Structure formats: structure tokens, C-alpha cells
Amino acid sequence: MQSSVFLAFFFIVVGLPVILGVGGNMFSRWLKHKERMSEVITRQTAEKAAQYAAHTERLEQRVRVLERIVTDRGMDLSDEIERLRRDQPEPIRLG
């Protein structure tokens, strides 16, 4: 009986604080890791959004050019297409 009381007292005084200290440290590291992962994912998402926005802007510009070609009856169509081809920069490929 006395040894079981001693073991319970030893566990409460020594074992429990050690277990909580190690567990708290592990939990703190896990939270920092999750925070870093969240920051990386946020940065990647912002990069993708910027790429999509730039791509959308280029597509809108091309549509405006095509609309202008189709609606402008005073110019020769093939000459306008060739002129626009020479004026356009190389398209940027999204990877």
C-alpha cells in the first residue's frame, strides 16, 4: 500500500510535469510547422492568382484586337492581321 502511494506521488510530482513539458514542446513545434506551411500555401496561391490575372488581361487584349478587326470594315483584313502579329510580344507560357 505504501509503495503504491509512493508511486502515485512520484508520478504526480515528477512524471506528469515531464510529460506535459515534452508534450507542450511538441505541440508548439507542430503549431509553428503548420503556420509555416500556411504561409507557403498563401504565397503560392497569391502567385497563381497574379499569373491568372496577367493571362486574363492578355486574353482580353487579344479579344479587343479581334473585335476591332471584325468591326473595322475600312481596312484590309489580312494587312491588319499581319500588322498586329508584328506588334504583339511573344506570349508568356504559364507552367
Side-chain angles (χ1 to χ4, degrees):
M1 176 85 157
Q2 193 176 20
S3 66
S4 63
V5 171
F6 176 73
L7 284 175
F9 177 75
F10 182 77
F11 176 73
I12 291 171
V13 170
V14 176
L16 199 57
V18 169
I19 291 171
L20 291 176
V22 170
N25 187 23
M26 289 172 50
F27 183 70
S28 174
R29 287 179 182 217
W30 180 77
L31 281 178
K32 286 179 185 177
H33 172 72
K34 290 301 248 181
E35 185 177 311
R36 281 193 300 261
M37 292 298 294
S38 174
E39 289 170 1
V40 168
I41 290 172
T42 301
R43 199 172 321 126
Q44 288 175 345
T45 303
E47 253 178 52
K48 286 267 189 204
Q51 288 175 352
Y52 289 142
H55 184 66
T56 301
E57 178 62 29
R58 285 191 303 272
L59 289 175
E60 287 175 354
Q61 288 174 357
R62 292 181 77 180
V63 167
R64 278 189 229 111
V65 167
L66 291 173
E67 287 173 344
R68 194 175 76 219
I69 290 171
V70 169
T71 57
D72 189 5
R73 297 189 179 179
M75 298 182 96
D76 186 29
L77 184 60
S78 63
D79 289 342
E80 177 69 9
I81 290 172
E82 287 304 314
R83 186 183 68 75
L84 290 170
R85 275 194 188 137
R86 287 189 302 271
D87 293 345
Q88 290 293 322
E90 286 295 316
I92 297 173
R93 305 244 184 230
L94 293 178

